[in-house]
Amino acid sequence: SLTITTDDQGYLGTGGAKSDTDTVAITVTAVADFEASPTWTTFPGALDTTFDNDGMQTLSVSGGIDYIRDMTLLADGKILAIGAVNDHFGLLRFNPDMSLDTTFGTGGVTETDTGDNRHLNTMIFDKQGRILVGGYERLARYSADGVLDTTFGTDGFIVNSWLTEIHDLAIQPDGKLLAIGKDNYRFRITRYLEDGTLDPSFANKEYDIHGGEHDSGRGIIILDDGYILIIGTGGYYNQAHRWRFSAIRINTYGNEERRDDKDLPGSEFVNDILELPDNKILIVGQDGADAGNFAVTRHNFDGTIDASFATGGVLSIPVLNAADQAYRATLQPDGKILITGQAFNGSNWDLA
């Protein structure tokens, strides 16, 4: 408690000094203890050494070529990865601690031999939770548990020689599937019905970028207005600048409506796209400045460059000595964007 005594000491009035005492009760609540300091590294981007002792895990699941091309975080905290297992189509599912989830495929791994040592590049989930994957001239569909769905295409596969390399997949609101890639010289795209048969209203389309070589479609976005935006590397058009970041807007029948290109220093190459919540689109890859930097451009809904981003819509990030290349862009829960790739340290390649 707190006791307060007041006394006017006779300075006022004619009746002499006055005094008064009041007691005020005070309740004090103890401050809760601070949380214990974490035992793991909290510096952003530092390796988490609680994972496999050094923050890195090397996993061999076969006697052949194994690698991961892409990964996605599932709603239950597990992680699905695709790429190659034993030099074939490969899918792996991990628990949150990155141990293999033995309820998926066989011991956490699905290997499918499609012939000629083909590997996977991209994946997407349909409205039933099935896994659609694409790679070299092949599409396939699996159950959520990693079992090949033989009701899709022919015994679970679609052979698509129109696309020598499938780089991205997208599903329209009507359930139709779009696949985009290349044939070394053109952007190429195919549309399928839900059962894997070719959509006769669209079928196969191709787009020649500047009449040159090495066009490569790398990403596809279904826009809210029903149009389709396809993005990739636009081909050879003169000796000074071999490639450009290119975006083509097509209608639902595959007819080109608009084309936008962004010329960066030197030769550019697109590796990934990221659709942002505000309908802006990031394109990431490599530019030719200083023999190669991480390159990021931001585009509006229609594919036009967003000049309010970085410098005229372009961000070039030198990481190490040369040949830096961004491969993926990921939106974090706090709204920040994580860009990953590789950088050359002068003698070999580092993760960046």
Side-chain angles (χ1 to χ4, degrees), residues 266-313:
S267 295
E268 303 85 48
F269 199 84
V270 173
N271 285 318
D272 194 25
I273 62 173
L274 176 65
E275 188 174 8
L276 301 175
D278 60 0
N279 286 329
K280 298 292 178 73
I281 299 159
L282 288 182
I283 303 178
V284 301
Q286 180 187 45
D287 66 27
D290 303 319
N293 293 331
F294 277 25
V296 184
T297 60
R298 191 168 74 183
H299 300 253
N300 298 309
F301 176 82
D302 60 357
T304 56
I305 196 75
D306 176 12
S308 68
F309 173 74
T311 303

Short mmCIF file of all heavy atoms in Angstrom, two decimals, residues 266-313:
data_model
loop_
_atom_site.label_atom_id
_atom_site.label_comp_id
_atom_site.label_asym_id
_atom_site.label_seq_id
_atom_site.Cartn_x
_atom_site.Cartn_y
_atom_site.Cartn_z
N GLY A 266 23.22 -8.15 -71.48
CA GLY A 266 23.75 -9.43 -71.92
C GLY A 266 22.66 -10.43 -72.25
O GLY A 266 21.57 -10.08 -72.69
N SER A 267 22.95 -11.71 -72.05
CA SER A 267 22.01 -12.78 -72.36
C SER A 267 21.23 -13.15 -71.10
O SER A 267 21.82 -13.43 -70.06
CB SER A 267 22.75 -14.01 -72.89
OG SER A 267 23.35 -13.72 -74.13
N GLU A 268 19.92 -13.15 -71.19
CA GLU A 268 19.07 -13.44 -70.04
C GLU A 268 18.49 -14.84 -70.15
O GLU A 268 18.34 -15.37 -71.26
CB GLU A 268 17.92 -12.43 -69.93
CG GLU A 268 18.35 -10.99 -69.84
CD GLU A 268 18.58 -10.34 -71.20
OE1 GLU A 268 17.74 -10.48 -72.08
OE2 GLU A 268 19.63 -9.72 -71.35
N PHE A 269 18.12 -15.40 -69.01
CA PHE A 269 17.43 -16.67 -69.03
C PHE A 269 16.45 -16.74 -67.87
O PHE A 269 16.80 -16.41 -66.73
CB PHE A 269 18.42 -17.84 -68.95
CG PHE A 269 17.83 -19.13 -69.42
CD1 PHE A 269 17.80 -19.43 -70.77
CD2 PHE A 269 17.25 -20.03 -68.54
CE1 PHE A 269 17.23 -20.61 -71.23
CE2 PHE A 269 16.68 -21.21 -68.98
CZ PHE A 269 16.67 -21.50 -70.33
N VAL A 270 15.22 -17.14 -68.17
CA VAL A 270 14.16 -17.23 -67.17
C VAL A 270 14.13 -18.64 -66.58
O VAL A 270 14.18 -19.63 -67.31
CB VAL A 270 12.79 -16.90 -67.80
CG1 VAL A 270 11.66 -17.16 -66.81
CG2 VAL A 270 12.76 -15.46 -68.29
N ASN A 271 14.02 -18.72 -65.25
CA ASN A 271 13.93 -20.01 -64.58
C ASN A 271 12.62 -20.23 -63.83
O ASN A 271 12.20 -21.37 -63.66
CB ASN A 271 15.10 -20.20 -63.61
CG ASN A 271 16.39 -20.50 -64.32
OD1 ASN A 271 16.43 -21.27 -65.27
ND2 ASN A 271 17.47 -19.86 -63.88
N ASP A 272 12.00 -19.16 -63.34
CA ASP A 272 10.81 -19.35 -62.51
C ASP A 272 9.95 -18.09 -62.53
O ASP A 272 10.43 -17.00 -62.87
CB ASP A 272 11.22 -19.66 -61.07
CG ASP A 272 10.08 -20.21 -60.21
OD1 ASP A 272 9.13 -20.78 -60.79
OD2 ASP A 272 10.12 -20.06 -58.98
N ILE A 273 8.68 -18.27 -62.17
CA ILE A 273 7.76 -17.16 -62.02
C ILE A 273 7.05 -17.29 -60.68
O ILE A 273 6.93 -18.39 -60.13
CB ILE A 273 6.72 -17.10 -63.16
CG1 ILE A 273 5.85 -18.37 -63.17
CG2 ILE A 273 7.40 -16.88 -64.50
CD1 ILE A 273 4.70 -18.31 -64.16
N LEU A 274 6.60 -16.17 -60.14
CA LEU A 274 5.87 -16.16 -58.87
C LEU A 274 4.73 -15.16 -58.97
O LEU A 274 4.95 -13.98 -59.21
CB LEU A 274 6.81 -15.78 -57.71
CG LEU A 274 6.15 -15.62 -56.34
CD1 LEU A 274 5.59 -16.96 -55.85
CD2 LEU A 274 7.13 -15.05 -55.32
N GLU A 275 3.51 -15.65 -58.77
CA GLU A 275 2.34 -14.78 -58.77
C GLU A 275 2.14 -14.24 -57.37
O GLU A 275 2.06 -15.01 -56.40
CB GLU A 275 1.11 -15.55 -59.23
CG GLU A 275 -0.12 -14.68 -59.44
CD GLU A 275 -1.28 -15.45 -60.04
OE1 GLU A 275 -1.19 -16.69 -60.15
OE2 GLU A 275 -2.29 -14.81 -60.38
N LEU A 276 2.05 -12.92 -57.23
CA LEU A 276 1.93 -12.27 -55.93
C LEU A 276 0.46 -12.01 -55.60
O LEU A 276 -0.39 -11.96 -56.50
CB LEU A 276 2.72 -10.97 -55.93
CG LEU A 276 4.23 -11.12 -56.22
CD1 LEU A 276 4.89 -9.76 -56.31
CD2 LEU A 276 4.90 -11.98 -55.16
N PRO A 277 0.15 -11.80 -54.31
CA PRO A 277 -1.25 -11.59 -53.92
C PRO A 277 -1.92 -10.37 -54.55
O PRO A 277 -3.14 -10.32 -54.68
CB PRO A 277 -1.17 -11.43 -52.39
CG PRO A 277 0.09 -12.13 -52.00
CD PRO A 277 1.04 -11.93 -53.14
N ASP A 278 -1.13 -9.36 -54.93
CA ASP A 278 -1.68 -8.16 -55.54
C ASP A 278 -1.78 -8.26 -57.06
O ASP A 278 -1.96 -7.26 -57.75
CB ASP A 278 -0.85 -6.93 -55.17
CG ASP A 278 0.61 -7.04 -55.62
OD1 ASP A 278 0.97 -8.08 -56.22
OD2 ASP A 278 1.38 -6.09 -55.38
N ASN A 279 -1.67 -9.51 -57.58
CA ASN A 279 -1.76 -9.78 -59.02
C ASN A 279 -0.52 -9.33 -59.80
O ASN A 279 -0.53 -9.39 -61.03
CB ASN A 279 -3.01 -9.16 -59.65
CG ASN A 279 -4.26 -9.93 -59.29
OD1 ASN A 279 -4.22 -11.14 -59.09
ND2 ASN A 279 -5.38 -9.23 -59.18
N LYS A 280 0.50 -8.90 -59.11
CA LYS A 280 1.77 -8.65 -59.79
C LYS A 280 2.49 -10.01 -59.98
O LYS A 280 2.17 -10.99 -59.31
CB LYS A 280 2.65 -7.70 -58.98
CG LYS A 280 2.04 -6.30 -58.77
CD LYS A 280 1.95 -5.52 -60.05
CE LYS A 280 1.29 -4.16 -59.83
NZ LYS A 280 2.18 -3.21 -59.10
N ILE A 281 3.44 -10.03 -60.89
CA ILE A 281 4.12 -11.28 -61.23
C ILE A 281 5.63 -11.03 -61.23
O ILE A 281 6.11 -10.06 -61.83
CB ILE A 281 3.68 -11.77 -62.63
CG1 ILE A 281 2.18 -12.05 -62.64
CG2 ILE A 281 4.46 -13.01 -63.04
CD1 ILE A 281 1.57 -12.03 -64.03
N LEU A 282 6.36 -11.90 -60.53
CA LEU A 282 7.81 -11.84 -60.54
C LEU A 282 8.36 -12.88 -61.52
O LEU A 282 7.87 -14.01 -61.57
CB LEU A 282 8.39 -12.12 -59.16
CG LEU A 282 8.23 -11.07 -58.07
CD1 LEU A 282 8.92 -11.55 -56.80
CD2 LEU A 282 8.79 -9.72 -58.49
N ILE A 283 9.35 -12.47 -62.29
CA ILE A 283 10.11 -13.40 -63.13
C ILE A 283 11.54 -13.40 -62.60
O ILE A 283 12.13 -12.34 -62.39
CB ILE A 283 10.10 -12.97 -64.60
CG1 ILE A 283 8.67 -12.86 -65.13
CG2 ILE A 283 10.90 -13.95 -65.46
CD1 ILE A 283 8.58 -12.38 -66.57
N VAL A 284 12.10 -14.59 -62.37
CA VAL A 284 13.47 -14.67 -61.85
C VAL A 284 14.33 -15.53 -62.77
O VAL A 284 13.84 -16.44 -63.43
CB VAL A 284 13.52 -15.22 -60.42
CG1 VAL A 284 12.71 -14.36 -59.47
CG2 VAL A 284 13.03 -16.66 -60.37
N GLY A 285 15.60 -15.21 -62.80
CA GLY A 285 16.53 -15.95 -63.63
C GLY A 285 17.90 -15.33 -63.57
O GLY A 285 18.39 -14.96 -62.50
N GLN A 286 18.50 -15.16 -64.73
CA GLN A 286 19.87 -14.65 -64.82
C GLN A 286 19.95 -13.58 -65.89
O GLN A 286 19.31 -13.68 -66.95
CB GLN A 286 20.82 -15.79 -65.18
CG GLN A 286 22.29 -15.39 -65.30
CD GLN A 286 23.16 -16.53 -65.81
OE1 GLN A 286 22.79 -17.21 -66.76
NE2 GLN A 286 24.30 -16.75 -65.18
N ASP A 287 20.73 -12.52 -65.59
CA ASP A 287 21.04 -11.56 -66.64
C ASP A 287 22.51 -11.71 -67.01
O ASP A 287 23.25 -12.49 -66.42
CB ASP A 287 20.69 -10.12 -66.23
CG ASP A 287 21.54 -9.61 -65.07
OD1 ASP A 287 22.67 -10.07 -64.89
OD2 ASP A 287 21.05 -8.72 -64.33
N GLY A 288 22.94 -10.95 -68.02
CA GLY A 288 24.31 -11.09 -68.50
C GLY A 288 25.28 -10.10 -67.92
O GLY A 288 26.46 -10.09 -68.29
N ALA A 289 24.81 -9.26 -66.98
CA ALA A 289 25.70 -8.27 -66.38
C ALA A 289 26.78 -8.97 -65.56
O ALA A 289 26.50 -9.88 -64.79
CB ALA A 289 24.90 -7.32 -65.49
N ASP A 290 28.02 -8.50 -65.70
CA ASP A 290 29.15 -9.07 -64.93
C ASP A 290 29.20 -10.58 -65.05
O ASP A 290 29.49 -11.30 -64.10
CB ASP A 290 29.04 -8.68 -63.46
CG ASP A 290 28.99 -7.17 -63.26
OD1 ASP A 290 29.74 -6.47 -63.96
OD2 ASP A 290 28.20 -6.70 -62.42
N ALA A 291 28.92 -11.08 -66.24
CA ALA A 291 28.95 -12.52 -66.54
C ALA A 291 27.86 -13.29 -65.81
O ALA A 291 27.92 -14.51 -65.71
CB ALA A 291 30.31 -13.11 -66.23
N GLY A 292 26.85 -12.58 -65.29
CA GLY A 292 25.70 -13.26 -64.73
C GLY A 292 25.37 -12.88 -63.31
O GLY A 292 26.15 -13.13 -62.39
N ASN A 293 24.20 -12.26 -63.09
CA ASN A 293 23.68 -11.93 -61.77
C ASN A 293 22.30 -12.53 -61.60
O ASN A 293 21.63 -12.87 -62.58
CB ASN A 293 23.57 -10.41 -61.58
CG ASN A 293 24.92 -9.72 -61.57
OD1 ASN A 293 25.92 -10.30 -61.17
ND2 ASN A 293 24.94 -8.47 -62.01
N PHE A 294 21.84 -12.65 -60.34
CA PHE A 294 20.43 -12.92 -60.11
C PHE A 294 19.64 -11.79 -60.77
O PHE A 294 19.97 -10.61 -60.59
CB PHE A 294 20.11 -12.90 -58.62
CG PHE A 294 20.39 -14.19 -57.88
CD1 PHE A 294 21.33 -15.10 -58.34
CD2 PHE A 294 19.71 -14.48 -56.71
CE1 PHE A 294 21.60 -16.27 -57.65
CE2 PHE A 294 19.96 -15.65 -56.01
CZ PHE A 294 20.91 -16.55 -56.48
N ALA A 295 18.62 -12.15 -61.54
CA ALA A 295 17.80 -11.14 -62.20
C ALA A 295 16.35 -11.33 -61.80
O ALA A 295 15.84 -12.46 -61.80
CB ALA A 295 17.94 -11.23 -63.71
N VAL A 296 15.68 -10.23 -61.45
CA VAL A 296 14.27 -10.26 -61.06
C VAL A 296 13.56 -9.12 -61.77
O VAL A 296 14.03 -7.97 -61.74
CB VAL A 296 14.09 -10.10 -59.54
CG1 VAL A 296 12.62 -10.22 -59.17
CG2 VAL A 296 14.93 -11.10 -58.77
N THR A 297 12.46 -9.41 -62.42
CA THR A 297 11.60 -8.36 -62.97
C THR A 297 10.20 -8.53 -62.39
O THR A 297 9.79 -9.64 -62.04
CB THR A 297 11.52 -8.42 -64.51
OG1 THR A 297 11.00 -9.69 -64.92
CG2 THR A 297 12.90 -8.23 -65.13
N ARG A 298 9.49 -7.40 -62.26
CA ARG A 298 8.11 -7.47 -61.78
C ARG A 298 7.18 -6.93 -62.86
O ARG A 298 7.47 -5.90 -63.48
CB ARG A 298 7.91 -6.70 -60.47
CG ARG A 298 6.56 -6.99 -59.83
CD ARG A 298 6.47 -6.46 -58.41
NE ARG A 298 6.33 -5.02 -58.37
CZ ARG A 298 6.28 -4.30 -57.25
NH1 ARG A 298 6.41 -4.92 -56.08
NH2 ARG A 298 6.16 -2.99 -57.29
N HIS A 299 6.08 -7.65 -63.05
CA HIS A 299 5.16 -7.34 -64.13
C HIS A 299 3.75 -7.14 -63.61
O HIS A 299 3.37 -7.69 -62.56
CB HIS A 299 5.16 -8.47 -65.18
CG HIS A 299 6.50 -8.70 -65.80
ND1 HIS A 299 6.80 -8.32 -67.09
CD2 HIS A 299 7.64 -9.24 -65.30
CE1 HIS A 299 8.05 -8.63 -67.36
NE2 HIS A 299 8.59 -9.19 -66.28
N ASN A 300 2.98 -6.36 -64.36
CA ASN A 300 1.58 -6.17 -64.03
C ASN A 300 0.76 -7.38 -64.48
O ASN A 300 1.27 -8.30 -65.12
CB ASN A 300 1.06 -4.89 -64.70
CG ASN A 300 1.79 -3.66 -64.21
OD1 ASN A 300 1.92 -3.44 -63.01
ND2 ASN A 300 2.30 -2.87 -65.14
N PHE A 301 -0.51 -7.34 -64.14
CA PHE A 301 -1.44 -8.42 -64.43
C PHE A 301 -1.42 -8.84 -65.90
O PHE A 301 -1.55 -10.02 -66.23
CB PHE A 301 -2.84 -7.94 -64.02
CG PHE A 301 -3.97 -8.88 -64.32
CD1 PHE A 301 -4.25 -9.93 -63.47
CD2 PHE A 301 -4.77 -8.70 -65.44
CE1 PHE A 301 -5.31 -10.79 -63.72
CE2 PHE A 301 -5.82 -9.55 -65.71
CZ PHE A 301 -6.09 -10.60 -64.84
N ASP A 302 -1.24 -7.87 -66.81
CA ASP A 302 -1.30 -8.15 -68.24
C ASP A 302 0.06 -8.50 -68.84
O ASP A 302 0.18 -8.67 -70.05
CB ASP A 302 -1.90 -6.97 -68.99
CG ASP A 302 -1.11 -5.68 -68.82
OD1 ASP A 302 -0.11 -5.69 -68.08
OD2 ASP A 302 -1.49 -4.66 -69.44
N GLY A 303 1.10 -8.57 -68.00
CA GLY A 303 2.44 -8.90 -68.50
C GLY A 303 3.35 -7.72 -68.73
O GLY A 303 4.55 -7.90 -68.92
N THR A 304 2.80 -6.51 -68.73
CA THR A 304 3.63 -5.32 -68.91
C THR A 304 4.54 -5.14 -67.70
O THR A 304 4.22 -5.53 -66.58
CB THR A 304 2.77 -4.07 -69.11
OG1 THR A 304 1.88 -3.92 -67.99
CG2 THR A 304 1.96 -4.17 -70.39
N ILE A 305 5.69 -4.51 -67.93
CA ILE A 305 6.65 -4.32 -66.86
C ILE A 305 6.11 -3.32 -65.83
O ILE A 305 5.46 -2.34 -66.18
CB ILE A 305 8.02 -3.83 -67.42
CG1 ILE A 305 9.13 -4.01 -66.38
CG2 ILE A 305 7.93 -2.40 -67.92
CD1 ILE A 305 9.58 -5.41 -66.20
N ASP A 306 6.34 -3.59 -64.55
CA ASP A 306 5.94 -2.69 -63.47
C ASP A 306 7.13 -1.79 -63.15
O ASP A 306 8.04 -2.18 -62.40
CB ASP A 306 5.51 -3.50 -62.24
CG ASP A 306 5.19 -2.63 -61.04
OD1 ASP A 306 5.08 -1.40 -61.21
OD2 ASP A 306 5.05 -3.18 -59.93
N ALA A 307 7.12 -0.59 -63.70
CA ALA A 307 8.27 0.31 -63.58
C ALA A 307 8.47 0.84 -62.17
O ALA A 307 9.52 1.41 -61.87
CB ALA A 307 8.11 1.47 -64.56
N SER A 308 7.51 0.63 -61.27
CA SER A 308 7.65 1.11 -59.90
C SER A 308 8.53 0.17 -59.06
O SER A 308 8.88 0.50 -57.93
CB SER A 308 6.27 1.23 -59.23
OG SER A 308 5.67 -0.04 -59.04
N PHE A 309 8.87 -0.99 -59.59
CA PHE A 309 9.69 -1.96 -58.88
C PHE A 309 11.16 -1.74 -59.19
O PHE A 309 11.55 -1.64 -60.36
CB PHE A 309 9.26 -3.37 -59.29
CG PHE A 309 10.13 -4.47 -58.76
CD1 PHE A 309 10.07 -4.85 -57.43
CD2 PHE A 309 11.02 -5.15 -59.59
CE1 PHE A 309 10.87 -5.86 -56.94
CE2 PHE A 309 11.82 -6.17 -59.10
CZ PHE A 309 11.74 -6.53 -57.77
N ALA A 310 11.99 -1.66 -58.13
CA ALA A 310 13.44 -1.51 -58.26
C ALA A 310 13.78 -0.38 -59.24
O ALA A 310 13.30 0.74 -59.09
CB ALA A 310 14.07 -2.83 -58.69
N THR A 311 14.57 -0.67 -60.28
CA THR A 311 14.93 0.34 -61.27
C THR A 311 14.26 0.01 -62.59
O THR A 311 14.68 -0.90 -63.30
CB THR A 311 16.46 0.39 -61.46
OG1 THR A 311 17.09 0.65 -60.21
CG2 THR A 311 16.83 1.49 -62.45
N GLY A 312 13.18 0.72 -62.88
CA GLY A 312 12.46 0.48 -64.12
C GLY A 312 11.86 -0.91 -64.22
O GLY A 312 11.68 -1.44 -65.32
N GLY A 313 11.59 -1.54 -63.08
CA GLY A 313 10.99 -2.87 -63.08
C GLY A 313 11.98 -4.00 -63.01
O GLY A 313 11.59 -5.17 -63.04
#
